[in-house]
Amino acid sequence: MHIRDDLPRPFDTIEHTWIRMPDGVRLAARIWLPQCATDEPVPAILEYIPYRRRDATRTRDDVMHGYFAGHGFASVRVDIRGSGDSEGVLEDEYLQSELDDGLAVIDWICGQPWCDGNVGIIGISWGGFNGLQIAALQPRALRAVISVCSTDDRYADDVHHMGGCLLGDNLSWASTMFAYNSLPPDPAVVGDAWRDMWFERLHGSGLWLERWLRHQRRDDYWRHGSICEDWSAVQCPVMAVSGWADGYSNAALRMLEHLPGPRLGLVGPWSHKYPHQGVPGPAIGFLQECVRWWDHWLRGVETGIMQEPTLRAWMQDSVPPTTYYDERPGRWVGEPTWPAGDIQSVTYHLAWPGLLADGTAGPGRRAMSIQSPLSVGLFAGKWCSYAATPDLPHDQREEDGGALVFTSLPLDEPLEILGAPVLELTVSSSRPVAMVAARLSDVQPDDQATRVTYGLLNLAHRDGSSEPTPMEPGRPYAIRVKLNDVAQRFPAGHRLRLSLSTSYWPVAWPPPEPARLTVETGASRLLVPRRVPRREDAGLEFGPVEGAQATVVEQLTAPHHTWRVIRDLATDESTLEVVNDDGTISFPDLNLEVQRKALEWYSYAGVDFNSVRGETLWERGVRRGEWSVRTLTRTILTSTSTHFRIDAQLDAFEGERLVFAKTWSEHIERDLV
């Protein structure tokens, strides 16, 4: 990254400001303010998230918000109620109170003498979500949104569920917020009130995993905050951004299709990160693109941003399988509209012994069945890659032994796809609740198999997730599985492989009991969205990565990240162990040390579906001189064929003294999941 020390506008950083809400609760903000704003008010950019602006996102915030301020925008980073140094208690994600506070924050910004009344919202993940949700409430001053790695559909396309299947990331994400919510505010900001505020959080935030597991269907709980329930509510311009290794690429393309106002889409090779931090690379000069967007929509300056293709996407080249890439080779392609009119569906028929292209002679209808072991999924990586650990899928041959596999003949010419492959299956199940996991892989001439995309479907949710219905065992059903959107080039000589399994642990929680699926091959097919390369793609480029100067950080103890599959053949137990230890860092200008460590274990024994277990252990700590706080949060999720069980524990320490302890033990009935 090129750190710009020659930004056009000098600016000051206001370390802390209180923003009072209508009910009296104060939210903590950090502001990057152009010096010219004291005489000439400027537009403002808001980022509104719960991830501790004082320490957890400090360096990232400096790089981005300082860059915006250096281009003449007031940039405001606010801790959500009950997070960081803000007062109150954070009880769940995307509550109406959070959105109402967001409206009040915008009003406060507009009331400042340095703001000209034009506001934009930017955010990644949580901030991408609530930016869209606040936009749907149509605050008068909100002119535009940049939403990165977010979703329009909280049930069907978020960390909780996929195709009606319960995701393993539901547990890890709940554990992440369990740990965040256990931390205190900084006494250097809130003074002697820090301890009372801390205990209010410890007592009041609750166990979010329990709340989420009590909503296994698409009900009003998930409809709230899902802008797909009413696309027309979002009238302001939206730039939707994601990456093919991220969990939210589908939503970016869906928003391009359905949002009524001006919109742009940008999807790179990245994981769950801002594109100027993008891993896998190449990272791009994303902040320059943001400034072009803000100048156009907040200042009315013609920057050419709206003359760009509606969708700019990274067409990935073929690569050998590995769990981490520094960069994904490929090129930028553009589509003037989305859905693109020139993308044509190519049909491949499921047959024995392979995947047959349309028009290829082959055998007729044949019944083929599969009942997968629980090991299928151990090499799948995470539902959403954070690129903090080697969390991308490994060689798919490790998984294909437990799957029903259909492989094409070698391609005569290259094939490029952009969009979502769709699997149409005629299938029957031996059990009323079953799942199908479908993987599309790029098979190289040496047989290495790189997963390109995948999709999941809980077959009880085949007709929707609001009112799921069990399968009638033995009865064939015509079902449709949408795989994740992707842009991928398959070279000539490579083969396409479709792999079907009845489990995908720990990406998704297994069904209540093992199920055998029988596929009617002659009535089943895979539809692939073929894109023909265009000359216009050659001119699509981005500038180099730029940013403002970040806070100095010292690494006191080394980080440690591992991802291990442990197979104990003596006990027939298998465990995926994830270690994500950031070590201890120091912020010299704050005289503050911060520790973060997360451990996860996902295990099973033999063929026993009741043995599946997910366990997480987080350790967080903050220290300044004699002030020292540490929290431990532990969550264990297990299940039987009829119930989920959650066991959780929260311990909080001042120094070495345990000052708070709470445990939970909850049984929740399974609801066709």
Side-chain angles (χ1 to χ4, degrees), residues 380-460:
K382 286 185 76 69
W383 169 80
C384 179
S385 169
Y386 296 90
T389 54
D391 55 6
L392 295 172
H394 200 267
D395 193 327
Q396 294 300 283
R397 290 177 294 179
E398 300 278 0
E399 311 276 59
D400 284 342
L404 196 59
V405 173
F406 302 89
T407 306
S408 75
L409 295 171
L411 295 170
D412 293 329
E413 59 184 20
L415 169 67
E416 293 188 0
I417 66 174
L418 175 58
V422 174
L423 175 63
E424 296 178 350
L425 279 182
T426 297
V427 63
S428 59
S429 171
S430 64
R431 295 286 185 266
V433 181
M435 68 171 285
V436 60
R439 294 176 280 120
L440 179 63
S441 297
D442 170 17
V443 183
Q444 301 186 52
D446 64 358
D447 289 340
Q448 291 187 83
T450 303
R451 196 188 73 192
V452 170
T453 183
Y454 75 103
L456 305 177
L457 180 64
N458 175 348
L459 295 178

Side-chain angles (χ1 to χ4, degrees), residues 16 18 26 54 85 87 184-198 624 627:
H16 170 67
W18 288 118
R26 297 180 302 171
R54 180 85 164 152
D85 297 318
E87 297 174 344
D186 190 336
V189 174
V190 305
D192 293 340
W194 77 269
R195 198 171 190 276
D196 289 341
M197 292 173 65
W198 184 33
R624 176 185 294 111
W627 178 70

Side-chain angles (χ1 to χ4, degrees), residues 171 374 378 505-506 509-510 566 572-577 600-606 608-615 636-638:
L171 168 60
L374 286 167
L378 285 176
W505 169 251
W509 206 266
I566 305 165
D572 200 13
E573 293 179 344
S574 300
T575 303
L576 172 62
E577 177 190 75
E600 302 176 51
W601 299 272
Y602 302 93
S603 61
Y604 69 92
D608 183 5
F609 274 46
N610 290 336
S611 69
V612 170
R613 172 188 173 101
E615 179 178 354
I636 300 172
L637 179 61
T638 56

Side-chain angles (χ1 to χ4, degrees), residues 1 11 13 15 28-32 45-70 75-79 122-124 274 276-277 287 547-551 553 587:
M1 176 182 293
F11 64 91
T13 303
E15 179 63 30
R30 193 170 178 229
I31 302 174
W32 294 256
I45 312 301
L46 169 64
E47 187 176 21
Y48 174 55
I49 52 178
Y51 305 131
R52 300 180 63 85
R53 86 213 184 292
R54 180 85 164 152
D55 49 62
T57 65
R58 187 178 186 85
T59 55
R60 187 207 72 179
D61 292 348
D62 280 334
V63 168
M64 181 171 75
H65 293 291
Y67 192 86
F68 294 160
S75 219
V76 184
R77 167 69 173 84
V78 179
D79 283 337
I122 190 170
I124 182 172
Y274 276 116
H276 58 288
Q277 304 171 307
L287 299 184
Q549 183 65 53
T551 301
V553 177
F587 296 94

